[in-house]
Amino acid sequence: MRITLFTLLLLGFMYPAHAQTYQFTRNDTLRGTVTPERSWWDLNFYRLDVRFNPADSSIKGSNQVFYRVLKPAQVLQIDLQRAMTITRVEQDGKPLSCRQDGDAYFIELTKPQVANRMESITVYYEGKPRVARNAPWDGGFVFSKDKAGQPYIATACQGLGASSWWPNKDHPYDEPDSMNINITVPQPLMDVSNGRLRRVVDNPDHTRTFEWAVVNPINNYGVNLNVANYSHWSDTYQGLKGPLALNFYVLPEHLEAAKKQFQQVPLMLKAFEYWFGPYPFYEDGYKLEEVPYLGMEHQSSVTYGNGFKNGYLGRDLSGTGWGSKWDFIIVHESGHEWFANSITNYDVADMWIHESFTNYSESLFIEYYHGKEAAAAYIIGCRKLIRNDKPVVGTYNVNHSGSGDMYYKGGSLLHTIRQIVNNDERWHEMLLGLNKTFYHKTVTGAQVEAFVGQSLGLNLTKVFDQYLRDIRVPTLVYRMKDRQLEYRWEDCVAGFDMPVKVKLGETDTLLKPTTNWQQLKVKNATSLSVDPNFYVKSKVLTVK
């Protein structure tokens, strides 16, 4: 099924200068839509049991899906991508028939589904999951070896989808309230997954089962499997909600380097609890484990592959020096515990909620330890990475995220809004309120935009439209003659009226441009420069 002509016309009408055509398939729709076969039931709990065989990279297991009936229906959608196969489905021990359509399975329930009743199905499956081409961006399973030749394996499936390796309701709008993850691997390997380790069972066939319990809501792509002959140590952080269990897992050959580098974790927690409120998953603890790829924000189980270096693989992305003072993966991926894992996008088209706030959290970390000027320099320095290639917001209902500019442009958007409000206390209260209001919730971009504006007492509709839904950078066009300044916004959405700080000569001035020419009398100023904290351009016109 292709995206409808109406939708394409709508997109073209809204953004005629840069509308892009995507050829969406029926599989995209089945993955990205809250289909009728999804909407009638509410996830409650997953019990995932997986036996992983590193020798042939195969999986065999089951997922028991507990749900509450919202309204009676008899067909239920479960997602599992085609590298894997559902072998049978049962309810109350009785087999059920199902029909496969692409990466979706439509299960025919025989038991009458009664509103408000709790039910469950058990889905059995097997296969060889997709091998990641370039994790974490092009994800799947990552296979490697440690120095001793032991298997060293991890999952990273954001974008690709959790249904690439286990059957589930693979849409972000609905999360289980809790989850058990039981992973069986050959001895002497261990598995590290989300939540707390309840027990390890030694099996007669020389395997071990690691039983992990997650007691908070969890997004599907945040569920992970990490298998290696890990070294482990633990610690406790005294945080805003009391003692927080910290656990660290690394390859034995990297133990000493990791113990030194991972000392940044308490520093990160202190800064982010100040800015955003308590770490969202005290009951599940915080883990950081080494993996054979760069890293990922798996909930309560953050993965790390930054080489025990500061910066991004040793590089300061901003070019200012401030990005070299801390480990990018520890700070950025842990920031996602607040933005992605606690506050989760309802539709991946709004993934900017995850990445814009987490990108901005990097500068807040710098600000906490090095001050506002350093933080601003970092944000401004990262603007060279903005491409302005397509809108930050993607297309809804087809599993389509927007531009990668959701990181650096999104961070600059938030930094710009902070300049508009010009009240650090109110800005901090907004960040705390955002995390309190949407704690452990899935939210739409519209909800977040409305909350930010209302909390700050500002109408930010046009600001969000400009930076999230348009690829142009607004330009302050001006001319000066005979002690008079004329100015307006160009390259912007209709009705764009964002105020901007400028320096007229040596005087700081707040202008309130619109898309129409405005005038201001100036005394001695002959020059104008825009405050670089605002992500805008400026252009002076020659006065004849």
Side-chain angles (χ1 to χ4, degrees):
M1 180 187 294
R2 302 295 182 184
I3 187 169
T4 65
L5 177 61
F6 171 77
T7 304
L8 288 175
L9 289 172
L10 178 62
L11 291 172
F13 173 75
M14 293 172 65
Y15 311 113
H18 49 76
Q20 299 187 29
T21 301
Y22 297 94
Q23 296 299 313
F24 296 116
T25 66
R26 173 169 173 77
N27 207 49
D28 294 326
T29 300
L30 290 175
R31 171 79 182 280
T33 302
V34 182
T35 61
E37 294 80 12
R38 283 172 168 159
S39 64
W40 64 267
W41 56 285
D42 177 56
L43 263 175
N44 177 258
F45 179 79
Y46 285 134
R47 179 178 288 127
L48 179 63
D49 290 274
V50 175
R51 177 174 287 265
F52 178 51
N53 183 5
D56 65 0
S57 67
S58 67
I59 276 178
K60 189 172 185 178
S62 65
N63 186 24
Q64 189 171 9
V65 182
F66 292 79
Y67 62 92
R68 182 171 66 89
V69 178
L70 300 177
K71 57 183 179 180
Q74 295 301 128
V75 181
L76 181 150
Q77 179 180 341
I78 288 291
D79 306 291
L80 185 66
Q81 295 178 27
R82 279 162 281 186
M84 311 294 293
T85 303
I86 290 179
T87 55
R88 74 180 190 277
V89 183
E90 295 179 353
Q91 185 163 56
D92 297 340
K94 298 178 181 178
L96 301 173
S97 62
C98 61
R99 171 181 59 86
Q100 185 177 3
D101 187 347
D103 292 336
Y105 286 77
F106 294 91
I107 298 164
E108 301 283 346
L109 303 172
T110 56
K111 179 181 180 180
Q113 305 293 296
V114 179
N116 294 317
R117 184 172 292 176
M118 294 296 301
E119 300 287 358
S120 74
I121 61 169
T122 304
V123 182
Y124 297 87
Y125 75 109
E126 61 186 29
K128 292 186 177 182
R130 182 181 188 270
V131 177
R133 298 185 179 96
N134 184 28
W137 302 279
D138 192 350
F141 265 70
V142 183
F143 294 91
S144 186
K145 300 278 187 180
D146 66 13
K147 192 174 181 180
Q150 292 274 18
Y152 177 34
I153 301 162
T155 57
C157 59
Q158 186 184 24
L160 175 64
S163 57
S164 62
W165 69 277
W166 60 285
N168 58 79
K169 191 180 193 177
D170 205 359
H171 190 288
Y173 90 100
D174 193 11
E175 299 178 351
D177 300 326
S178 56
M179 180 173 185
N180 281 0
I181 306 167
N182 304 319
I183 308 294
T184 300
V185 294
Q187 297 182 17
L189 300 176
M190 70 170 64
D191 167 70
V192 181
S193 291
N194 314 78
R196 291 183 186 260
L197 184 62
R198 288 285 173 86
R199 65 172 183 160
V200 180
V201 179
D202 291 320
N203 303 311
D205 61 353
H206 305 292
T207 63
R208 292 193 291 184
T209 301
F210 292 79
E211 298 184 0
W212 298 89
V214 179
V215 299
N216 288 292
I218 184 169
N219 58 57
N220 286 338
Y221 81 83
V223 176
N224 70 345
L225 170 158
N226 305 283
V227 175
N229 186 22
Y230 281 120
S231 292
H232 165 246
W233 79 97
S234 60
D235 200 353
T236 301
Y237 175 74
Q238 296 298 330
L240 293 181
K241 292 177 68 174
L244 171 63
L246 309 179
N247 283 278
F248 306 100
Y249 298 84
V250 299
L251 298 183
E253 57 263 34
H254 298 149
L255 182 60
E256 293 308 312
K259 283 190 172 183
K260 180 179 178 181
Q261 191 73 1
F262 289 4
Q263 289 176 14
Q264 295 187 36
V265 168
L267 299 177
M268 172 276 299
L269 288 167
K270 186 176 182 180
F272 287 168
E273 286 208 324
Y274 168 79
W275 285 112
F276 306 136
Y279 172 74
F281 307 106
Y282 268 75
E283 301 85 353
D284 292 323
Y286 173 94
K287 292 190 296 300
L288 187 64
E289 55 262 11
E290 185 182 5
V291 290
Y293 62 90
L294 183 61
M296 194 65 200
E297 70 254 26
H298 302 113
Q299 185 171 311
S300 74
S301 180
V302 176
T303 51
Y304 177 90
N306 202 38
F308 310 102
K309 302 174 184 177
N310 281 353
Y312 181 98
L313 294 172
R315 182 166 63 95
D316 174 11
L317 294 174
S318 73
T320 65
W322 294 112
S324 297
K325 297 184 180 297
W326 45 278
D327 191 305
F328 179 91
I329 293 300
I330 291 175
V331 170
H332 179 90
E333 303 304 346
S334 298
H336 277 305
E337 294 282 52
W338 285 263
F339 297 99
N341 297 338
S342 179
I343 302 175
T344 306
N345 52 221
Y346 183 96
D347 188 299
V348 297
D350 283 325
M351 198 163 74
W352 69 270
I353 299 169
H354 297 191
E355 300 301 350
S356 298
F357 281 94
T358 305
N359 173 269
Y360 183 68
S361 78
E362 300 164 22
S363 70
L364 292 178
F365 176 85
I366 295 172
E367 181 172 340
Y368 188 84
Y369 290 105
H370 303 288
K372 283 182 67 175
E373 289 187 8
Y378 178 80
I379 282 278
I380 294 167
C382 285
R383 287 179 186 162
K384 62 182 179 293
L385 301 170
I386 299 173
R387 296 172 294 181
N388 287 311
D389 58 344
K390 57 183 179 180
V392 168
V393 173
T395 306
Y396 294 96
N397 299 316
V398 286
N399 192 47
H400 175 259
S401 59
S403 169
D405 281 348
M406 67 180 73
Y407 292 81
Y408 308 106
K409 187 175 183 178
S412 267
L413 161 63
L414 296 173
H415 187 64
T416 298
I417 293 173
R418 184 177 180 180
Q419 311 314 306
I420 300 171
V421 70
N422 196 29
N423 184 322
D424 287 347
E425 183 177 353
R426 194 162 194 176
W427 181 251
H428 188 195
E429 289 173 353
M430 182 277 292
L431 293 172
L432 291 170
L434 188 69
N435 280 276
K436 185 176 182 180
T437 301
F438 298 121
Y439 180 79
H440 290 180
K441 288 183 171 64
T442 58
V443 297
T444 65
Q447 287 177 287
V448 172
E449 292 173 40
F451 181 91
V452 172
Q454 291 166 8
S455 179
L456 299 177
L458 299 170
N459 183 350
L460 296 170
T461 301
K462 296 299 182 180
V463 175
F464 282 117
D465 283 346
Q466 180 69 45
Y467 290 97
L468 297 179
R469 301 175 183 89
D470 198 292
I471 65 171
R472 297 169 294 175
V473 180
T475 302
L476 181 68
V477 178
Y478 66 96
R479 55 196 175 207
M480 301 179 72
K481 185 180 181 181
D482 299 330
R483 296 185 180 181
Q484 182 163 281
L485 170 68
E486 296 181 337
Y487 59 94
R488 73 175 183 182
W489 286 120
E490 291 186 356
D491 297 328
C492 57
V493 298
F496 186 68
D497 58 354
M498 184 179 78
V500 62
K501 297 175 187 175
V502 301
K503 191 177 285 293
L504 286 171
E506 298 300 319
T507 304
D508 292 328
T509 304
L510 180 67
L511 298 181
K512 296 182 178 180
T514 68
T515 53
N516 298 317
W517 284 107
Q518 297 189 64
Q519 297 178 346
L520 177 69
K521 288 186 177 181
V522 294
K523 293 183 178 180
N524 301 316
T526 57
S527 63
L528 180 151
S529 59
V530 176
D531 184 339
N533 289 293
F534 287 77
Y535 180 46
V536 299
K537 294 179 179 179
S538 63
K539 182 173 67 175
V540 59
L541 299 179
T542 302
V543 180
K544 296 181 180 180

